[in-house]
Amino acid sequence: MSYDLQYIDRLRARLLGNGSDPACLPGANDGETETVFFILDMSGSMSYPDYPPSRYLAGVDSVSEFLRCRIETGANDIIGSVVFDTSARIISKGIPISKAMDDVIRPLEQNEIGGGTDICAGLTTTNKCLSE
C-alpha cells in the first residue's frame, strides 16, 4: 500500500509543481457556472486508516478543500454529491457553492461507512441528477 501512496504523492507533485491547487489557479474561474458532482465511496473498505482518520473522511476533506479553493476564486459553481456502498444515495443536488460547506460537507461527514461497493449505483444516480 505504501507504494500506491508514494505514487500518488509523486503524481500530485508533478501535476502541482509549484504547490498550487488547480482549482485556485488564476483563470480557473472563467466566469462560467460549472456543475460539479462528487461521488464518494462509503463502502466498508473506506474505513481503512491509511489516510487518517479514514479513506472516506480523507475524501470528504478533499471535497472540502476543492470547494474552499473554488469559493476563493469567486466561482459560481453548482454542487451536488452522491454516496454509494451497496446502493447510492443523493446527499445534495443543485446547491449553490456558497451553501455547499453546510449543505454538502456536513451531511457527508455524518455518513456511516459500511456495506459493499456498487460504483455503478453511484454513477447511475449521479447521471440521473445531471440529466434533470
Side-chain angles (χ1 to χ4, degrees):
M1 187 59 77
S2 63
Y3 172 78
D4 292 336
L5 298 179
Q6 290 171 357
Y7 173 77
I8 291 168
D9 288 341
R10 284 194 313 273
L11 180 61
R12 184 175 193 281
R14 195 174 88 213
L15 292 173
L16 305 177
N18 62 0
S20 297
D21 189 325
C24 293
L25 291 176
N29 179 19
D30 58 8
E32 295 292 320
T33 298
E34 301 288 340
T35 300
V36 180
F37 259 80
F38 298 97
I39 309 169
L40 278 79
D41 179 353
M42 59 178 218
S43 64
S45 65
M46 297 304 284
S47 66
Y48 294 166
D50 50 347
Y51 281 100
S54 69
R55 290 177 179 181
Y56 176 76
L57 289 176
V60 173
D61 286 345
S62 295
V63 170
S64 180
E65 181 65 14
F66 176 86
L67 293 173
R68 183 193 62 76
C69 286
R70 293 295 292 165
I71 290 168
E72 284 179 7
T73 68
N76 254 347
D77 299 341
I78 302 299
I79 306 300
S81 60
V82 170
V83 294
F84 69 92
D85 49 24
T86 51
S87 61
R89 183 167 52 96
I90 299 168
I91 299 295
S92 62
K93 63 179 179 178
I95 303 293
I97 197 167
S98 60
K99 296 182 178 187
M101 296 308 265
D102 288 332
D103 295 347
V104 175
I105 298 301
R106 286 198 181 125
L108 285 174
E109 291 173 334
Q110 297 172 6
N111 284 313
E112 275 192 46
I113 303 168
T117 307
D118 186 355
I119 192 170
C120 187
L123 294 171
T124 301
T125 300
T126 301
N127 190 44
K128 286 179 186 175
C129 290
L130 291 169
S131 299
E132 294 177 355

